[in-house]
Structures are given as structure tokens and as C-alpha cells.
Amino acid sequence: MSEERTTRAFQVNGEDHHVSFSVHHSLLEVLREELGLTGTKHGCELGECGTCTVLIDGKPILSCLELAAECEGRQIETVEGMMQGNELHPLQDCFADLGAAQCGYCTPGILLAAQALLAENPSPTRDQIVSALSGNLCRCTGYHKILEAIEWAAARMRGDEKYRPPESAIYGDPVEVEKASDG
Amino acid sequence: MGNAEHPEEQEGPVTSDQLRLIGTPFRRVDGRAKVTGQTRFADDLSFPRMVHMKLVRSTVPHAKIVGIDTKKASEIRGVVGFLTGESMPDPFGILPVSQDEHALCIDKVRFVGDPVLAVAALTEDQAHEAALAVEVEYEPLETIATIEEAISTPEPRIHDYGDEGNLHKKLSMEFGDVDEGFDEADQIFEDILYFEGNTHLPLEQHATVALTEETDRVTVYSSTQTPHYLHRSLAKVLGLPAARIRVIACPNGGAFGGKSDPFNHEICAAKMALTLGRPVKICLTREEVFYCHRGRHPVLMKIRTGVKKDGTLTAQHLQTALDGGAYGSYGVASTYYTGALQTVTYELPKYRFESIRAFTNKPPCGPKRGHGTPQPRFAFEVHLDKIAHELAIDPAQLRLQQLVAADSVTSNWLKVGSMGLGQCIEAVVAGSGWNQRHGKLPEGRGLGLACGSYLSGAGLPIYWNHMPQSGVQLQLDRSGGVALFCGETEIGQGSDSVIAAITAEILGIDLHDIRLCVADTDLTPVDLGSYSSRVTLMAGNAAIQAAERARTLVARGAAEKLDVPARELVFAEGRVFHGENPDHGMTFQEAVVEAESRFGTLGTTGSYTPPRSPGRYRGAGVGPSPAYSYSAAVVEAEVDPATGIYRIEHVWMAHDVGKCINPALVMGQIEGSVYMGLGEAMMEEQVFRRLPKKRSGALVHKHPSMLEYKSPTFADMPPVTSYIIEDPDPNGPFGAKEVGQGPLLPMMPAVANAIFDAVGVRVDQVPIAPHMIRQAIEARERGKPGRFGPKSFPEIEFGVPLRVPTPAEGGDGKATNVDDAGVRAGTGTMTERKDAVKGEN
């Protein structure tokens, strides 16, 4: 395996970095191991699970498949860049409140994929969200809370502060009792 | 009742009926860390001088190790050390009776992926390159691939222990006179079903970082659900006193049972750190995670049930055959679990259960969400659907008319407390429009109903002891903050939030004034781990005891100052005040200061030990729980009869959680279980194939990758209507029972039953692929039974069953023929101390 190293300049979360790394290393490895940005996770390192999603020039990409050497001059966004000061991004806020993050391992990748979607389409339909996120796996939530959190965050980002996720998303549906038939 | 020496044991305020936090959807205590990427998973840790480790894994399924050559590998730049099995000769394993693993294989390998050697290097790339350069010479042994092959091939044995040949475990037990029960029946139904194995697929790959501080002291950070059991295994294999080993379980990035065994890589990392004197990290590749496995056992099942004309069940005979893979893991417990919980949903007055677990040359199976119970639950619920259809009884009604009574003891001596299954069934029946729609939808569209039940924690620990199963320690300081120490492990389910909320509720303080220190064997009281859905109930009860004791201390400090009897004080909203005159009070912090002034430094502990179960027979250790949760589901399916392709259109799921600690977390567990159950019903399978003879004939994993191991995506998830049923159990904290595993159980049979309602054919196995539906339809068109599934159950001589009279028969929980049946009933139940102690050594 090559031990040749290279140095590249790129922006991560709006900050300039000149980074030296093994020439064959992925952006995922460079972010986590050279820059210490461990918020970006990995689940397969083969481009199969979506966990390592980051934004390059605003577009979601799988950082495990992206050679860091090819990121010269590009703008990279990771989950560490989502907060504004000490305030959570609306997506982060809604994910936390709704339980859209359980183990939290797929969460950074999904947050960034959702952020890219909302930047392009501030009022996505449920189907459009599903389509944008269908490359990201989550094993904990069953996906519903994530969809509801994105819809809530989208409303807040559009300025609709009154929107709330349905009560049933949090408390379950009200139970109406109907006896089973006698067959 | 005065107790001057132990003021925390004196009578204090009682918990008000008015709950302030419990039952509300508060944000999880770790919510902010999880959405900012700040949660530190094991692979996120790094330390100065840290080196990287890789394991060399077997490329053959069953072979003697002839030689290991590290010459080429040692010449690779950056390589700093190797470990082989000889340096860690002591075996380990999660169960005392199955100490059959070695940190690295010593004499032979038992599956493709079995680790043979560890290598460490300065970089991960160098370690990887060195691992590839290690040459291992094998002498192949016959490969045993299936349950049938394990039965027909007693030699060569994969292990030199176990009940016989390549059968790890064989058991037979009978509760009541089953033949008499069959005689009472009007009809006997029989089905053979198969549940394919599948794996947890947590998104986080297992990782471990080990480092030394002194020459004989090591700290191990790991993605484990069971830091306490890992601690014990490390002490055993490393030969160090446990007090010199510190295990810290990092938050797990998903686990689902897959991180509850002690693993080779964890022990090797600790040994390597002790050898090199520098930090060592290993993070498994996704392919290696598939080899670690410990997932759902493939189980073949034969179920026979005696039924009266009105649908009343008179007796059941269940046989299960488990494909255990290459090691014991939790397998003995899994084997018992394929029979134990058949009795807790519907009255089953007489019951015979027989089972084997086979060793095969595949990655070891173990506990996955539902541990051993989803397979027989699938069999039972599909079987009931067939019985209902045959007898023309509504499937919901068939179940409702014979529910197990609350506060009763089952035929196999399980004590059932609260029992909300009836409410669950009624909720999904109403929500889905079952009465108007089941059996009446157009061809291709159908509804299926199924139920389930699960433990709120196993009644017994994995190794024999009389100590608590969970402990909580609280430390109160004059800032008004409370530090909470508990060994429980956060695996995503929200356990940190549950114990913090319970403590905050009782002390009447803000959730964020609780500081948590969890899952650290140096600092926290033992909790056995995040498995068997035990944490809310057990750590929750320990937290209640510790918090109530702390409240008593603080109340006594405040009472003197306020001149009000301590028991009349109320703790709420950060204040301590007189219940009859809320203005008369002080802040919680002021009350702590009063108490600390009077009693000195303030700290309390709480612990929890489950009640003893009434069963006294060998094997009675698996199945008991302080409380059982109940679930019912209706699934709506759309099936294309021309292709067999089907979609799940909607799921209605009701779950009896006893009492909601946090509805948002409960909903998350219900939806997550529905999702995972759908994956198991529709697509997930861990399967193997033999390479052609000319390519070694080895048995290999068919698809150890996330791309080919199919799991549901956003696009596959149907709408879910969830009902939270609260039937409080007196053993649960505030009445709470489990929710993490139970709602998975009804999903697989409900899908199969919905497919039957849609197209009138049965697929008696999961996952259900379209070609199976299609083949069943074609069979029906040829005038044969419209069914796809296993045709036979192997002939197995189970021997004389252990006979245990039921409570109705006046039994006392003991077996009546231990001498005749003792051996066949099986070694290795966790009720027998002598077995456990023997297995330890």
C-alpha cells in the first residue's frame, strides 16, 4: 500500500485547511483522522449505508468513496458545522425533540442529506424527502420520526413557527375499542 | 420507627400520584450530543502513541491450524507486534456453561472469519497490509453446514463438549400430561415452519480502544452492551484481578443484541496494549461485523396443538431445531427461549417442548432483539391463524377468548403480572377496521393479525450469584446538583434518559440537574447490561430506591428548618415545601445544604433484584421475568398474484408498556421494532453457500455486505399507527414494562397471515420472498396445498422428557423424574449453581 503523502487545501465548515494525508485516503479518513472531526461516522466504507454523508459544495456525497486528494479547493460541510454558535440548527433541534436520533450514529449523515434537500426545496413533500434520503440507512427509528422531524424543521425554516408534528407521532394514536366479532 | 444510624432508611415523603415528568415527552438527556455529532463512540477515541490492530481471520470453515508464518508480515514497515492464541490459552464465553471461545484460535478454526492472529502497527494501513501478509496453513476438516448435517455427522465434532456429537444442546420437558390434553381435543393441528437466520446490522461497526496506565492495569473502551460481562471475561483470559481492569462501554451506535457477547477483538486489544505498553485501537470492517454475528438463530419448528371445536387449546407439543453456528454464545439460553414464552399469551394447560441446538461451521448465532422467541412466536401465530380459518372462528376472537389471566402462573411456571394483550388486540382490531375488512377485501389485498409477549428483563443473571442485577448510586452536593452513577449502557434506546427522569421525578428537580456517569466498571455500580429489555425495569427500580433514600435525607434536613414533619414535604419544581402550604418551603439546593449540614456528605445507593420465580425444575431459569409486555399487530398487504411481489400498505401496532416513562421514546421503540420486524419478514437473511469443490468446497457467507444483505430503506417503510397501552405492573418502576423488543414479535407472523388473507396461500417461513408466494399459488393451481415451506422435521430421539406437573395439576414447580430425565433435560441451565461453577473453570 502506498505511503506517499500529499497536501491539499480545502474549506471545512467555512474554515481553511491545508492538510497532509496519505494519497489514497478517503475524505472520510481525512476528516476523522487528520482533522479530528469525528462527527462524520462510517458504517461500511463501501458506499452502501449513507452514514458518512457530508456536503461538498452543498451536495451530499459519500465521504468514504471520495478521495480527499480530489477535494482541492472545495467547500466541505460536516455535522460540526451545522450549529449557529451554541444554537442548534432547526433540523438538529427537531431531531432531538422528536427522538429522530436514537443511537445517533446515522444521524449526522441524515442531517446533512436533509439540509441539502431543504436548501434546494424548502417545502418538500413526504415522497420527496423519502427519495432524497433513500440512500441513508437507519436501524433504530423505523424512519418515521426522521421524516416528521424534517417536516417540522422545514416548516420552522420557512418561518412557520406554529407547525407541530401530529400528536400521534409522540403519544401514539388514541385507542378506540371495538370488540372482535364472534366470527 | 426511628433509625438514627441510617437516616435514609427512616420514613420519608411518599411519591405523589401527580407525576410531573414521567409520562411526558421530554427530550432525551443525550439528544443534543447525538444531533451535533458530539457523542463519542468507541472509534471516535484516539490517544497519543495509539497503534492499530487487525485480526487475521480464517479463510476456511473447519480446519486444524498447521502453522502460522509471520515472517513476511513482520518485515512490513510500522509493524510493532503480533499475538497468537498461545498467549491467551484460557477459554471464555458469555455463559458459564459455554466457555468455548479463545481470544485467538489455538488448535483449529471453526468458521470462515474465526480469528487466528492479531497484528498491530503504527497505522491502520500498515496493520491491514501485515494481516494480509500473514500465512496460515490449514488442514481441512469436514464442514458441517446445516442442522441436518450436524445430526447426521456426529464426527468430527466441532467442539469436544456438548450433549452429543455435534449437538450442543438437547432438551425435552413436559408440563402436565400432554397426551391427555391431546385426547381432550376435537382436532389436532400440525405445522412445520422455518425461520431463517438474520443479523443485527448495527450501523456502528464494533470498535475497541485499550490502554495501560500501570504495568498490570488496563482500561478498555468498547462498543459493548455488557461491560460487566466483558469485565469478567477480560479478567479470566488476561489472568488479571478484575480490580486492575476498567471497562467503559461507549454509547453504542446500534446493537440489537449484537454487542452483548465478549468478543475476540476486545480481549486481543487489551492483551496487545498490555504487551506493547501503548494504546491499541481496533475497528472491525463491515465484513468482520457479519462474521462476529451472534444474530438470530435459523430455527426449524414443528408445532402440534390440540384444539376443541370452540377453538380452546388443550395441549401443545413444540419441537425446535436451532442452527447455532460455531460457538456456544448465548445459545443454551436461546434454545430454552424457543420454548419458554409460548405459554404467556394464551392459556396452554399442557405443554411439551423439545429442542436441539446444532453446532455448524458458520458464524455463531446468539441473541437478537426478541432472543429466541420470535421464531416460535412466528410458528404459533401462523398456526393459530390456520386453526381459526379451519374452525371458522375470527382470529382475533380466537385469541381473546383464551388470554392468560393477569396475576396467574402458566403451565411452565412463569408468573404473569399485568396482562394488557386483550386491550392491544381490541385497539388494532378497531384501528384497522378488522371486523369489516378481514376476509372481505378484494383478491390481492389482505389483513393479518398476530400477537407477542416479551420479558422486562430476565429473572436470573447469566452467572450464578445472589447480588443485585442493577445498582444506582447518587451523590448530592451543595450546588443542588445530583450525580447519578449506574452501570447501565446506552445503546440508543434511551436508558440514560429513563434513569435520569425517574431520579428527577422523585427528587422534584430538573432533568438537567442530574449528571450521569454510566457503564464504567471503575466508577459505577454493576448493572448487568442492556439486554433482555431489562434496563428500564431493573435500573429504574434501583434508581427509585436510591432517589427515595436521598429524598428522605434531604426531607429530614429541610423538615427541621421548616418545622414540618418530613413525610408531609413535597419535592417538586426544584423546591421542597409543605404539601398543605406550598409557599412554606425552600429550594432543593437549600434543602440539600440543610441535610448536608446535619448528616455530612450526602450519598445513597439503590439496588434491584428480581423476585424469585416459582419454577424449580432444571431449565426454569430461562423465561421468568419481573413483568411481561404484550403486543398485537394488524398488517395490511397488497400482493400481486401474478408475480408474488407484495407491499405492506399499513401496520397497526398496539403495545402494553405498563406505564410510559417517556412517550416519545416508547414510540421510537415501537416504530423501530415494526421496522426491524418487517425487515425480518420480508428480506433480511444471513445465509451461506458452498463454493464448488474445485474452489475448496468451503462454506462461505453469501453476502457479508450491506448492499447485498437487504434491509428496509426509507422507501420500504409503510405508515404505522401505534397504540400505547398502559396496564401498569406492580414490579415495574411507576408500573413500566419493556418496549424495546416486544413489538417486533408480531410482525413476521402478521405479514404471513396478511399474505394468506390476500391470496389464500401460506408461506410457512421467513423471510417471505415473492417466488415463495408464486410457488404456493402454482401448487394450488395444480390441485396441491397452496403452501410454501419446509416439508419435514428431522427425526430426533429426544428421550424421556423432564416431567413437571402444572399448577392446575397441583404441582410444586419441581420435576417428578429428575433421575430418569435429568441428563437429557440438559446441563447448563442457569438455575444450577454447581453447573455454573463447574463451567467457570
Side-chain angles (χ1 to χ4, degrees):
Chain A
M1 202 166 288
S2 168
E3 297 206 356
E4 187 193 335
R5 289 178 78 83
T6 183
T7 301
R8 290 288 190 275
F10 41 71
Q11 276 202 341
V12 181
N13 300 324
E15 296 164 13
D16 290 327
H17 288 276
H18 287 79
V19 200
S20 162
F21 50 87
S22 292
V23 67
H24 64 280
H25 273 191
S26 65
L27 178 60
L28 169 73
E29 290 170 294
V30 171
L31 287 171
R32 288 179 55 84
E33 292 160 20
E34 309 294 343
L35 296 177
L37 294 171
T38 55
T40 303
K41 308 299 178 196
H42 54 82
C44 65
E45 294 163 80
L46 293 166
E48 296 167 353
C49 68
T51 305
C52 66
T53 302
V54 299
L55 305 185
I56 297 185
D57 299 332
K59 297 267 182 267
I61 62 103
L62 300 172
S63 63
C64 73
L65 296 185
E66 189 75 13
L67 276 176
E70 295 188 345
C71 292
E72 175 82 39
R74 302 174 80 177
Q75 306 228 4
I76 296 151
E77 288 172 75
T78 71
V79 70
E80 285 91 348
M82 284 187 78
M83 282 174 69
Q84 299 292 317
N86 201 31
E87 296 297 311
L88 295 179
H89 185 282
L91 276 164
Q92 293 174 307
D93 218 22
C94 295
F95 268 59
D97 274 341
L98 216 48
Q102 284 188 23
C103 82
Y105 200 80
C106 71
T107 307
I110 289 180
L111 283 169
L112 289 162
Q115 187 185 316
L117 169 70
L118 297 185
E120 212 166 82
N121 178 1
S123 309
T125 63
R126 178 67 68 107
D127 283 349
Q128 287 169 329
I129 303 174
V130 165
S131 169
L133 291 173
S134 58
N136 292 72
L137 293 177
C138 167
R139 288 293 277 174
C140 294
T141 62
Y143 302 115
H144 283 298
K145 291 288 165 281
I146 295 173
L147 295 170
E148 281 150 1
I150 292 170
E151 286 167 354
W152 188 8
R156 277 176 55 178
M157 290 165 72
R158 292 193 303 265
D160 179 358
E161 293 293 333
K162 288 204 189 104
Y163 178 90
R164 287 284 175 279
E167 285 260 301
S168 61
I170 296 166
Y171 294 98
D173 287 75
V175 178
E176 295 161 34
V177 172
E178 180 186 354
K179 298 286 177 195
S181 73
D182 292 328
Chain B
M1 47 181 245
N3 185 341
E5 281 179 36
H6 295 284
E8 74 278 15
E9 297 298 350
Q10 295 183 2
E11 194 182 348
V14 293
T15 302
S16 151
D17 292 340
Q18 277 190 322
L19 299 174
R20 290 168 174 81
L21 182 59
I22 300 294
T24 67
F26 55 89
R27 178 186 281 190
R28 358 176 356 140
V29 294
D30 51 2
R32 187 180 167 97
K34 300 228 156 160
V35 299
T36 53
Q38 287 169 340
T39 300
R40 303 275 274 169
F41 298 95
D43 191 42
D44 297 338
L45 305 175
S46 65
F47 295 90
R49 298 185 72 239
M50 187 171 82
V51 298
H52 296 265
M53 188 176 80
K54 290 280 177 192
L55 298 180
V56 175
R57 294 178 182 270
S58 171
T59 53
V60 294
H62 196 196
K64 287 182 181 160
I65 301 171
V66 178
I68 301 174
D69 186 349
T70 57
K71 188 168 178 301
K72 278 187 209 156
S74 61
E75 287 163 4
I76 287 168
R77 222 158 74 90
V79 170
V80 292
F82 296 95
L83 290 175
T84 58
E86 279 80 22
S87 62
M88 294 172 281
D90 281 325
F92 70 97
I94 183 68
L95 297 187
V97 293
S98 306
Q99 301 284 299
D100 60 2
E101 298 183 59
H102 286 89
L104 294 165
C105 295
I106 295 173
D107 49 352
K108 67 178 200 169
V109 292
R110 296 176 172 88
F111 69 98
V112 172
D114 219 358
V116 174
L117 177 139
V119 54
L122 299 182
T123 70
E124 194 177 9
D125 287 342
Q126 291 164 340
H128 179 63
E129 199 176 345
L132 291 176
V134 171
E135 291 172 2
V136 185
E137 191 186 337
Y138 298 106
E139 180 187 319
L141 295 166
E142 189 172 349
T143 302
I144 292 159
T146 62
I147 295 166
E148 291 76 11
E149 285 180 16
I151 294 169
S152 64
T153 319
E155 300 282 341
R157 295 184 82 183
I158 293 174
H159 287 282
D160 58 7
Y161 83 107
D163 283 350
E164 61 181 62
N166 279 307
L167 299 188
H168 176 205
K169 185 76 195 153
K170 181 161 145 179
L171 60 91
S172 173
M173 49 223 301
E174 178 165 326
F175 306 93
D177 188 333
V178 169
D179 290 339
E180 188 184 278
F182 282 129
D183 288 344
E184 289 165 17
D186 293 315
Q187 202 173 338
I188 293 171
F189 290 83
E190 180 177 311
D191 282 298
I192 297 172
L193 302 100
Y194 181 62
F195 200 117
E196 184 56 273
N198 56 56
T199 200
H200 318 83
L201 205 76
L203 282 177
E204 179 205 26
Q205 301 147 247
H206 306 50
T208 300
V209 182
L211 55 143
T212 56
E213 293 154 34
E214 305 292 335
T215 50
D216 59 351
R217 190 172 161 82
V218 61
T219 298
V220 178
Y221 295 86
S222 197
S223 39
T224 175
Q225 301 173 245
T226 54
H228 174 63
Y229 295 141
L230 174 58
H231 193 208
R232 288 169 53 83
S233 293
L234 285 167
K236 187 177 185 216
V237 180
L238 299 174
L240 283 177
R244 304 283 172 86
I245 301 167
R246 178 182 189 183
V247 177
I248 299 171
C250 298
N252 287 203
F256 316 110
K259 294 169 181 166
S260 44
D261 283 60
F263 282 104
N264 313 71
H265 65 269
E266 296 174 310
I267 298 170
C268 289
K271 182 71 177 177
M272 190 70 92
L274 283 162
T275 307
L276 300 177
R278 58 197 294 181
V280 175
K281 176 191 272 192
I282 180 165
C283 180
L284 303 187
T285 64
R286 175 54 60 183
E287 184 178 357
E288 287 180 290
V289 174
F290 278 95
Y291 298 148
C292 278
H293 190 43
R294 319 288 161 147
R296 183 88 69 226
H297 284 75
V299 183
L300 183 60
M301 296 162 284
K302 180 173 168 182
I303 185 167
R304 282 181 81 223
T305 306
V307 187
K308 289 190 176 170
K309 283 198 191 76
D310 66 0
T312 304
L313 311 181
T314 63
Q316 184 170 98
H317 179 194
L318 174 70
Q319 294 178 315
T320 65
L322 292 77
D323 181 345
Y327 289 97
S329 181
Y330 284 78
V332 170
S334 317
T335 309
Y336 280 103
Y337 274 129
T338 63
L341 299 194
Q342 291 298 84
T343 55
V344 298
T345 43
Y346 322 111
E347 288 288 351
L348 205 52
K350 299 179 170 79
Y351 177 47
R352 186 188 301 150
F353 169 53
E354 293 169 317
S355 184
I356 56 159
R357 180 179 194 262
F359 281 130
T360 56
N361 293 116
K362 298 189 281 197
C365 298
K368 184 187 171 194
R369 206 171 198 170
H371 191 190
T373 72
Q375 301 98 325
R377 180 55 60 184
F378 168 71
F380 199 0
E381 297 290 326
V382 169
H383 186 60
L384 278 178
D385 202 64
K386 295 185 186 186
I387 292 169
H389 186 75
E390 182 75 20
L391 299 180
I393 301 174
D394 178 77
Q397 183 57 38
L398 179 75
R399 290 164 169 89
L400 285 168
Q401 73 189 28
Q402 48 197 325
L403 294 176
V404 161
D407 292 318
S408 64
V409 177
T410 66
S411 56
N412 62 340
W413 293 90
L414 301 180
K415 170 73 175 69
V416 171
S418 83
M419 204 289 185
L421 182 54
Q423 294 170 66
C424 291
I425 294 173
E426 284 163 1
V428 294
V429 160
S432 65
W434 175 265
N435 290 339
Q436 298 76 45
R437 300 171 68 225
H438 174 251
K440 301 171 186 125
L441 293 172
E443 170 77 3
R445 178 69 80 145
L447 292 181
L449 180 143
C451 304
S453 173
Y454 199 65
L455 318 164
S456 305
L460 289 175
I462 275 170
Y463 66 99
W464 182 268
N465 69 79
H466 290 292
M467 291 177 283
Q469 294 197 31
S470 191
V472 163
Q473 191 167 4
L474 295 180
Q475 178 186 301
L476 285 68
D477 69 66
R478 26 188 114 162
S479 73
V482 175
L484 190 167
F485 300 85
C486 179
E488 64 82 16
T489 303
E490 177 61 70
I491 60 171
Q493 81 281 48
S495 54
D496 285 3
S497 304
V498 167
I499 56 169
I502 286 172
T503 306
E505 177 74 46
I506 291 171
L507 294 177
I509 59 178
D510 191 296
L511 193 57
H512 299 288
D513 289 331
I514 312 262
R515 284 100 49 145
L516 284 164
C517 174
V518 301
D520 180 333
T521 61
D522 260 14
L523 301 181
T524 61
V526 167
D527 174 272
L528 294 181
S530 285
Y531 65 93
S532 83
S533 271
R534 51 178 298 290
V535 180
T536 291
L537 190 136
M538 299 203 193
N541 277 325
I544 286 179
Q545 188 177 55
E548 287 184 343
R549 287 172 172 175
R551 187 178 56 186
T552 298
L553 280 178
V554 175
R556 287 177 54 77
E560 191 159 298
K561 185 88 172 175
L562 295 171
D563 196 24
V564 171
R567 66 179 173 281
E568 291 178 17
L569 291 174
V570 173
F571 285 62
E573 285 152 18
R575 292 181 69 239
V576 180
F577 54 88
H578 192 201
E580 290 167 13
N581 178 13
D583 291 338
H584 185 51
M586 59 176 73
T587 65
F588 179 77
Q589 189 213 342
E590 288 164 347
V592 169
V593 168
E594 292 299 327
E596 189 174 336
S597 307
R598 183 162 167 198
F599 301 119
T601 302
L602 298 176
T604 59
T605 60
S607 45
Y608 179 75
T609 309
R612 201 171 170 206
S613 157
R616 295 285 175 274
Y617 56 91
R618 283 188 119 180
V622 180
S625 176
Y628 297 91
S629 75
Y630 291 91
S631 324
V634 168
V635 162
E636 181 163 354
E638 172 83 36
V639 187
D640 176 3
T643 61
I645 292 172
Y646 67 104
R647 286 173 51 86
I648 302 305
E649 297 290 333
H650 203 110
V651 176
W652 294 264
M653 174 66 75
H655 181 77
D656 167 22
V657 69
K659 165 76 190 170
C660 245
I661 303 285
N662 177 343
L665 289 179
V666 169
M667 285 292 289
Q669 290 303 311
I670 292 175
E671 290 175 358
S673 292
V674 167
Y675 152 85
M676 196 164 274
L678 277 176
E680 297 197 22
M682 301 179 73
M683 60 189 87
E684 294 189 35
E685 52 180 357
Q686 164 122 332
V687 286
F688 299 81
R689 67 190 172 101
R690 277 185 200 277
L691 295 179
K693 262 263 155 30
K694 63 183 176 199
R695 288 186 57 207
S696 84
L699 184 70
V700 295
H701 199 298
K702 220 167 169 183
H703 36 52
S705 83
M706 287 177 120
L707 188 63
E708 293 167 291
Y709 179 93
K710 299 280 186 270
S711 66
T713 69
F714 271 94
D716 296 311
M717 190 63 187
V720 181
T721 303
S722 304
Y723 306 100
I724 300 175
I725 307 294
E726 296 184 298
D727 188 349
D729 193 287
N731 285 335
F734 299 95
K737 307 194 282 191
E738 76 88 37
V739 60
Q741 309 192 55
L744 176 140
L745 287 149
M747 287 307 301
M748 293 72 76
V751 168
N753 294 343
I755 288 169
F756 173 74
D757 192 43
V759 288
V761 297
R762 294 285 179 184
V763 178
D764 288 341
Q765 69 182 60
V766 285
I768 299 172
H771 75 269
M772 299 174 184
I773 298 173
R774 195 52 222 149
Q775 283 186 29
I777 291 172
E778 285 166 10
R780 185 181 56 190
E781 285 166 355
R782 291 195 305 271
K784 297 196 168 141
R787 173 183 182 269
F788 184 97
K791 294 188 171 54
S792 65
F793 189 89
E795 286 295 322
I796 298 164
E797 179 49 61
F798 285 102
V800 179
L802 189 72
R803 293 188 205 287
V804 184
T806 65
E809 290 171 340
D812 58 1
K814 292 182 185 148
T816 54
N817 64 336
V818 176
D819 293 340
D820 303 337
V823 174
R824 289 207 177 80
T827 53
T829 71
M830 285 168 282
T831 54
E832 296 293 336
R833 185 175 190 280
K834 62 178 173 12
D835 290 347
V837 173
K838 193 170 63 193
E840 282 282 82
N841 300 315

